[in-house]
């Protein structure tokens, strides 16, 4: 069973699609935050999260992509 890294998945998505990437993580460390940005994510949020916050992130991405 081969597991894919976040970096590899983000790379494949960025190459093939024009889809924003949002990462959900349980890590709140600065090191991991930098990694999320380096992976090419457009945004991220940490668990536990507010559904309203996720809705706002998605709304803003859709608004900015037009």
């Amino acid at each position: 069973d081969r597991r894919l890294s976040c970096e590899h998945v983000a790379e494949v998505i960025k190459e093939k699609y024009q889809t924003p990437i949002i990462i959900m993580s349980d890590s709140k460390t600065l090191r991991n935050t930098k990694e999320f940005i380096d992976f090419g994510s457009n945004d991220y949020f940490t668990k536990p999260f507010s559904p309203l916050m996720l809705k706002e992130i998605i709304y803003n991405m859709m608004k900015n992509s037009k």
Side-chain angles (χ1 to χ4, degrees), residues 21-34:
I21 298 172
I22 303 171
I23 294 179
M24 178 176 62
S25 174
D26 62 354
S27 176
K28 296 177 183 167
T29 67
L30 183 59
R31 176 178 175 260
N32 287 343
T33 299
K34 182 182 177 327

Side-chain angles (χ1 to χ4, degrees), residues 42-59:
N42 298 86
D43 209 336
Y44 69 93
F45 60 98
T46 57
K47 298 187 280 186
F49 69 95
S50 158
L52 180 59
M53 178 60 118
L54 177 57
K55 178 183 169 190
E56 290 299 316
I57 289 171
I58 293 169
Y59 174 78

